[in-house]
Amino acid sequence: MHIRQPIVAVLGHVDSGKTSLLDRIRGTGVQGREAGGITQHIGASFLPTETIKEMCGPLYKKLEQSENKVPGLLVIDTPGHEVFTNLRSRGGSAADIAILVVDVNRGFQPQTNESLKILQSRKVPFVVALNKCDQISGWRKSETKFISQAIKEQDASIQADLDQKVYDVVGTLSILGYKSEAFYRVEDFKSEIAIVPISARSGVGIPELLSVLVGLTQQYLQKRLNQDEKEPRGIILEVKDEVGLGQTANVILIDGIIKKENSIVVAKRDGVIVTKPKALLLPKPLDEMRDPRDKFKPVPQVEAAAGFKIASPDLEGVLPGSTLYVASNDEEIAKYTELIESEMKSVFVDTETNGVILKCDTIGSLEAIMEMLKRSQVPVAKADIGPVTRRDVIEAKAIKEKDRHLGVVLAFNVKMLEDAQDESETSHIKLFENKVIYSLIDNYNAWVEEDSA
Ligand code: GTP
Ligand code: MG
Ligand code: NA
C-alpha cells in the first residue's frame, strides 16, 4: 500500500488565525505580508514528515508506529471571507480532513458555521483548533509547547474559564448534530470531534493539534489515501496570467502522478479543453504557494498529493473548481472528456420544470448551494455561473405564474445587471442575494414560510 499525504483544509471565520497557524508551523511570515492581513486566495503548502516530527516531539513516537504512516501533510489555507467551496471533487471534497479554527474569545462566528455546513454536506472529518488561548484574560505565559502542560500551569479560575469556552463549542456543535470534547477527554476519535486549545502566536497546543490530526488520518483514512490503482486527478484552484509565465493554473493534485508529456483535460464554461503543460512548477517544501520564499522549480512530474502550477496558454477561461484529469493517450482523453462533460451537466442545470433560478460565482459555490437546496427540497429550474441577467428574471416570471414560491432568483456572490434589476422591479420578481450560503437559503425558506402563513 502506497499512502499519499493527506490534504488538510484549514477553515474558519475571518481573522480566527488560519494563516498565522500555518506560519507558526512552517516558520514563515505569510500573514504579515497580506494586504490588510486578509487572505484573498486559497493557498497550499507541503509539510514534510520531519517538520511534523519536530513539532510533535515525543508525541510523534506513537504516530511512527502506525502501519500507514503518512508522508507529511498538504495543508490548504483558505480565505475566511469566502469559504472553500471550490475545494470540491466530484460532488465531494478534495480535502481529506479539516482544521476548523475558532477564536477562543469569540466562539462560533458566521463563517465558522458556513464552513461547518460545507464540511457536513461533503462529509469531511475535522478537528477544532480553539485558537488565541494566549488572549484569554489572565492567561499565564509558559515555556512549554504542550497545551496539556500549559493548562496545568494556569490558575484554577483560568482553567475553569477555558473549560467553559470548550463547553460553549461542545454545546454549539451538539446543536448541529456533532458529539465533541476537549481532545484529552475524547474516548473515541471516530465518533467525537476533538477540540484542541492552541495559540498560533506562542505555538502552544500545536504538537497536540498535529498529533491528533495525523493520528486520525493514519487510523481512518487509509482507503482514501492509498494510491494503488488510483487514476490521476486534481482540482483547479485558480487561473491567472503571470508575468514571464503567461496563463497559469494553481492546481492541487489529489491522486496519482502527472508528467509533463501528459495531456490534461479540464473544463471551460462552454466545453472541455485538452492541452499539454508548457511547464509544471513545484514550490519548495514549507513554502506557501501563493507567497513562496523561493522560486517554483520546473519539474518533469508531480506526485500526489501536491500543490503546484501548470503553465499553458490554453488555460485561459478554465473554471476554478474544475476537476483536472491526466491522460496519456487518445483513449484516455476521450474517456475524461466525457467524464468532465457529464460532471458539468450535473453541475449546470437547465430544465423545463418548475424551480428557482440560481446564479453563482464558481462551480464550488453552485454545487454547495445545489446540495443544500436539495436537502431543503427546493427544486432548481436553472443553475449557472455568472451575473443575474434580464433573461433570468423573465424565466422566473414564467415560473411564478405556475408556482409563486419558485418564481424567484437566488444570487450568490454575483452582480445583478441593470436591466435585470429593472425587470425584477416591474414584474415583482423576488431576488435573494447573500454572501453567506446558508443565509441565502435560510432567507428564501423564511420568506416561503411567511408567505404561506
Ligand atoms: P483570514 O485569512 O483573513 O480569514 O484570517 P486568518 O484566519 O488567516 O487569521 P490571521 O492569521 O490573518 O490572523 C488574524 C489576526 O489574529 C492577526 O493579527 C494575527 O496576528 C492574530 N492572531 C492569530 N493567531 C493568534 C494567536 O494565537 N494569538 C494572538 N494573540 N493573536 C493571534
Ligand atoms: Mg488567512
Ligand atoms: Na486575516
Side-chain angles (χ1 to χ4, degrees):
M1 189 149 72
H2 169 51
I3 301 269
R4 66 158 166 81
Q5 297 81 4
I7 301 171
V8 184
V10 184
L11 343 156
H13 193 81
V14 174
D15 281 351
S16 54
K18 302 175 288 295
T19 307
S20 303
L21 168 63
L22 295 181
D23 274 336
R24 169 62 58 194
I25 299 172
R26 295 180 298 225
T28 51
V30 171
Q31 201 275 334
R33 289 191 296 273
E34 291 177 329
I38 289 179
T39 303
Q40 294 292 353
H41 296 285
I42 197 163
S45 42
F46 169 55
L47 307 182
T49 302
E50 274 313 303
T51 305
I52 297 164
K53 197 170 170 175
E54 209 173 288
M55 283 265 154
C56 291
L59 296 178
Y60 193 77
K61 281 216 187 75
K62 210 169 147 204
L63 300 171
E64 214 163 15
Q65 284 157 10
S66 169
E67 269 174 52
N68 306 302
K69 235 170 37 178
V70 298
L73 300 170
L74 185 72
V75 288
I76 314 286
D77 191 9
T78 68
H81 66 277
E82 74 170 42
V83 196
F84 67 118
T85 49
N86 264 338
L87 210 52
R88 58 181 290 283
S89 161
R90 287 185 199 141
S93 176
D96 301 303
I97 194 165
I99 301 175
L100 184 62
V101 182
V102 177
D103 183 327
V104 69
N105 285 309
R106 294 177 189 256
F108 270 58
Q109 292 175 277
Q111 298 301 85
T112 327
N113 289 307
E114 178 92 332
S115 303
L116 200 64
K117 282 264 163 72
I118 293 165
L119 290 175
Q120 209 159 23
S121 79
R122 294 184 179 165
K123 300 188 178 67
V124 184
F126 64 95
V127 177
V128 174
L130 201 52
N131 190 30
K132 307 197 186 184
C133 274
D134 61 292
Q135 274 189 338
I136 293 174
S137 155
W139 183 267
R140 186 178 296 144
K141 238 176 130 175
S142 63
E143 290 299 309
T144 177
K145 289 281 180 272
F146 297 93
I147 189 71
S148 18
Q149 180 59 33
I151 291 172
K152 286 186 195 135
E153 293 173 18
Q154 306 301 317
D155 289 344
S157 67
I158 306 298
Q159 292 184 9
D161 192 16
L162 178 61
D163 243 358
Q164 187 53 52
K165 290 177 194 305
V166 168
Y167 273 110
D168 289 344
V169 173
V170 170
T172 310
L173 281 172
S174 91
I175 295 168
L176 299 166
Y178 287 103
K179 222 174 133 189
S180 67
E181 250 308 353
F183 74 98
Y184 41 83
R185 283 192 287 255
V186 170
E187 281 167 9
D188 175 13
F189 281 92
K190 191 156 188 158
S191 61
E192 291 169 86
I193 307 286
I195 303 167
V196 187
I198 67 160
S199 162
R201 177 147 306 168
S202 74
V204 75
I206 294 180
E208 285 101 329
L209 177 66
L210 286 178
S211 67
V212 167
L213 192 81
V214 171
L216 280 171
T217 62
Q218 293 187 162
Q219 212 169 348
Y220 301 115
L221 297 178
Q222 311 102 302
K223 224 169 137 190
R224 264 184 87 105
L225 303 179
N226 184 10
Q227 290 295 282
D228 299 341
E229 285 166 47
K230 286 269 169 77
E231 57 185 17
R233 74 195 165 103
I235 184 100
I236 305 274
L237 296 182
E238 200 186 336
V239 179
K240 59 182 175 197
D241 201 12
E242 282 187 70
V243 184
L245 290 174
Q247 285 294 329
T248 65
N250 284 352
V251 178
I252 301 290
L253 190 65
I254 302 171
D255 282 319
I257 295 175
I258 177 172
K259 295 183 180 146
K260 214 187 137 201
E261 63 269 25
N262 292 149
S263 295
I264 58 166
V265 191
V266 284
K268 290 191 181 178
R269 178 60 194 95
D270 50 6
V272 175
I273 68 142
V274 180
T275 183
K276 284 198 175 179
K278 214 170 64 182
L280 301 176
L281 300 154
L282 194 66
K284 282 223 174 116
L286 295 175
D287 260 6
E288 168 57 71
M289 230 172 114
R290 62 188 163 84
D291 179 19
R293 287 172 288 199
D294 273 315
K295 274 206 184 124
F296 283 52
K297 201 171 130 203
V299 290
Q301 67 171 51
V302 174
E303 215 172 302
F308 67 107
K309 236 183 240 302
I310 298 179
S312 160
D314 299 333
L315 290 169
E316 194 176 352
V318 165
L319 293 172
S322 161
T323 305
L324 168 137
Y325 289 106
V326 181
S328 40
N329 55 48
D330 288 347
E331 209 176 301
E332 284 180 0
I333 290 177
K335 177 175 99 180
Y336 293 131
T337 301
E338 207 171 298
L339 254 179
I340 290 199
E341 276 167 356
S342 82
E343 208 185 318
M344 287 300 112
K345 226 176 268 166
S346 71
V347 174
F348 299 119
V349 176
D350 195 2
T351 65
E352 299 292 314
T353 54
N354 285 345
V356 300
I357 308 283
L358 174 64
K359 295 303 280 281
C360 297
D361 59 342
T362 67
I363 303 186
S365 57
L366 193 73
E367 197 173 52
I369 295 174
M370 289 286 287
E371 169 66 30
M372 290 181 200
L373 287 172
K374 198 165 136 195
R375 271 191 285 155
S376 297
Q377 291 172 325
V378 178
V380 177
K382 180 172 152 186
D384 208 341
I385 288 179
V388 179
T389 63
R390 179 158 180 267
R391 207 184 132 206
D392 295 328
V393 179
I394 289 172
E395 282 179 37
K397 194 175 156 189
I399 292 163
K400 192 182 168 193
E401 280 160 18
K402 292 174 269 176
D403 186 324
R404 70 195 173 112
H405 288 151
L406 293 178
V408 301
V409 179
L410 304 186
F412 179 77
N413 228 356
V414 288
K415 283 209 190 92
M416 172 102 181
L417 300 182
E418 210 170 303
D419 53 354
Q421 186 80 47
D422 295 344
E423 186 63 47
S424 79
E425 278 160 25
T426 27
S427 346
H428 304 286
I429 294 302
K430 281 215 59 105
L431 171 82
F432 292 86
E433 245 180 317
N434 206 299
K435 286 199 171 177
V436 177
I437 289 177
Y438 71 88
S439 303
L440 181 70
I441 296 171
D442 281 357
N443 291 349
Y444 169 71
N445 284 333
W447 169 75
V448 171
E449 206 166 294
E450 203 174 287
D451 200 57
S452 314

